[in-house]
Amino acid sequence: MGIDSLLYRIMLVAHIGSVVVAIGGIIAHGAYHAAAFRAAAPQTAAVLLDAAGPARRSAEWALYGVIPTGIVLVAFSDDTFSYLDLWVMIGIVAWLGIISALHGAVRPAVTKLGERATELASGGSTSADSDGDRLESDSTAQGIAGRLVIGEVTIQVLGVVALVAMIWKPGG
C-alpha cells in the first residue's frame, strides 16, 4: 500500500485527529478538575466535576483510538516503518503508560473527589478535618486531589514523550 496511498493518508488523519481530541480533552478536564477543587462551595465543585464528564469521556475514546490507528499506519507503510523502530516502541510504551495512569489514578480519583464534593455539599461530612466551606480545605479531598494530579501529570508527560517520538522519530 505505502505511505503515499489514499488509505494511509486517511488513517493518518484519523490518528492525528484522535491525538488532538485526546490532548484537548485531557487538558480541558484537567482545568475543570482544578477549578472544581478550588471552588468556593462543595456544590459548585460537584457541578464542575460533573460538567467535566463529557470532555473526559470524549478524550478517553479518542485516546483509545490512537493506538489502533497507529498500528494500522505501520502496517500500511509497506516496511517504511517497523514495529521495532525505536520511536514506534516509545509511542506504544507511552500509550500503555497513559492508559494505566488514566485507569489507575485519574478515573478513580475523579470518582472519589466527586463523591467527596457531594458528601460535603450535603453536609454529611463525617471527618473533623473539613470546615465544610471548600473542597480544597478538606484533607480527605486533598489526598484524593494529590493522586489526581499525579495521574494527570503522568498522562501529560507521557503524551509529550510520545508526541516528540512521533515527530522526530529517534532511531527511525
Side-chain angles (χ1 to χ4, degrees), residues 43-62:
Q43 297 88 344
T44 305
V47 168
L48 283 170
L49 287 168
D50 241 7
R56 180 181 51 79
R57 283 187 291 281
S58 297
E60 287 175 11
W61 281 108

Side-chain angles (χ1 to χ4, degrees), residues 104-161:
V106 173
R107 288 176 83 185
V110 168
T111 300
K112 289 179 185 172
L113 201 56
E115 290 168 355
R116 187 64 180 158
T118 301
E119 180 181 333
L120 290 172
S122 68
S125 175
T126 58
S127 77
D129 58 355
S130 172
D131 61 12
D133 192 28
R134 297 173 68 108
L135 193 57
E136 71 180 341
S137 65
D138 180 66
S139 66
T140 302
Q142 289 172 355
I144 297 166
R147 290 188 295 276
L148 177 61
V149 168
I150 290 169
E152 288 183 343
V153 167
T154 299
I155 289 171
Q156 292 173 12
V157 168
L158 289 173
V160 168
V161 166

